[in-house]
Amino acid sequence: MRRALPWIYMALAYAFIFLPVVTLVLFSFQDGRLPVPPFNGPTLKWYADVLGDSRLMSALLNSLLVGAGSAALSCALGFLAAYGLARHVLPGTLFLRGLLIAPMTVSYLIIGLGLLIVFNNYGPGPSLWAAGVGHVVINLPLAFAIIYASMGAQQENAERAARDLGASEWRVLALVTIPMLAPAILAAFFLCLTLSWDEFIIAFLMTRFDVTLPVEIWSLLRSGLSPRTNAIGSLVFLISVALVIGLELFIFGRKRR
């Protein structure tokens, strides 16, 4: 019995984590108008309905654009900040590090309201660009923390050796630092992309006509539950899983080489 306890605990933990997802996916194949038991499926009509909806596809494209753009900019800024603080002695380094990570402790609602006030008074107002800026604000601390934690003595020694051999600072950065930190940079990029992909509060506050997929899903939920929303959620889940598996395969492949 004692040997079985870890397996029982593991099974319960996995059931607790994945039961909502399994329920969501199962009732996306429901052959009925409500995603509730009993299960009357299976059918693929809800997926065909979602993939044929131009408004949903437009929202999906907006989510991808905002997610990929904000993740790329967050990683670029996070890398530059991490490189500057890790490789150069600056006054108040601890304070600057804390200041960069501080937005992680602030509610998305507070950040979104602050950005909404700023963009309404000093910018073009709510738009996809504004939503992208908001996602950079919440993703930059995460990207910085991941990349900064990966900048150890090994990379510093390799950079010093490259300088001793005559490489310029730009060549050291492009040929030594960035390739050695590629797994951390990619991990930060995919994590930021995943967080931006399903972020709702800032996207809801900062967009007006061109909305992202979470905002569009919320609009659909206002008219009640439907297997159609389950189909959208299942597609979002599958894309997120594909991104994570792609990242794992890339990092695993690099380790094997």
Side-chain angles (χ1 to χ4, degrees), residues 130-198:
V133 171
H135 287 181
V136 171
V137 172
I138 61 173
N139 286 332
L140 176 57
L142 185 65
F144 167 77
I146 293 173
I147 297 171
Y148 184 82
S150 302
M151 301 187 80
Q154 183 184 0
Q155 288 89 358
E156 193 169 7
N157 292 335
E159 291 166 5
R160 191 178 297 117
R163 291 189 192 96
D164 291 343
L165 293 173
S168 65
E169 199 62 36
W170 284 109
R171 289 178 68 85
V172 170
L173 196 65
L175 301 177
V176 178
T177 307
I178 292 178
M180 293 187 77
L181 291 174
I185 294 173
L186 279 174
F189 175 81
F190 280 105
L191 193 53
C192 292
L193 176 59
T194 304
L195 292 176
S196 177
W197 167 253
D198 61 0

Side-chain angles (χ1 to χ4, degrees), residues 183 186 244-257:
L186 279 174
V244 173
I245 291 175
L247 175 64
E248 289 288 339
L249 289 175
F250 176 80
I251 294 177
F252 184 69
R254 282 183 64 92
K255 285 182 177 177
R256 288 190 65 180
R257 289 197 296 269

Side-chain angles (χ1 to χ4, degrees), residues 4-157:
L5 280 177
W7 293 100
I8 295 172
Y9 173 78
M10 187 174 69
L12 291 175
Y14 276 110
F16 179 76
I17 294 170
F18 288 105
L19 186 59
V21 177
V22 171
T23 304
L24 175 85
V25 174
L26 175 64
F27 284 99
S28 68
F29 297 102
Q30 173 78 306
D31 191 11
R33 300 195 63 82
L34 292 175
V36 293
F39 182 65
N40 303 319
T43 178
L44 292 174
K45 66 179 181 182
W46 302 112
Y47 286 92
D49 184 56
V50 166
L51 295 175
D53 190 322
S54 60
R55 185 175 174 85
L56 280 173
M57 290 300 102
S58 175
L60 175 67
L61 181 61
N62 290 339
S63 282
L64 287 174
L65 289 174
V66 170
S70 63
L73 186 56
S74 299
C75 287
L77 296 175
F79 169 77
L80 292 175
Y83 185 80
L85 290 175
R87 295 293 183 261
H88 302 280
V89 179
L90 301 173
T93 298
L94 285 175
F95 174 74
L96 293 175
R97 280 193 346 226
L99 202 60
L100 276 168
I101 298 176
M104 293 176 72
T105 64
V106 181
S107 161
Y108 285 5
L109 179 61
I110 302 301
I111 293 175
L113 288 174
L115 288 171
L116 182 62
I117 294 170
V118 170
F119 273 88
N120 274 336
N121 288 281
Y122 306 106
S127 63
L128 278 183
W129 287 100
V133 171
H135 287 181
V136 171
V137 172
I138 61 173
N139 286 332
L140 176 57
L142 185 65
F144 167 77
I146 293 173
I147 297 171
Y148 184 82
S150 302
M151 301 187 80
Q154 183 184 0
Q155 288 89 358
E156 193 169 7
N157 292 335

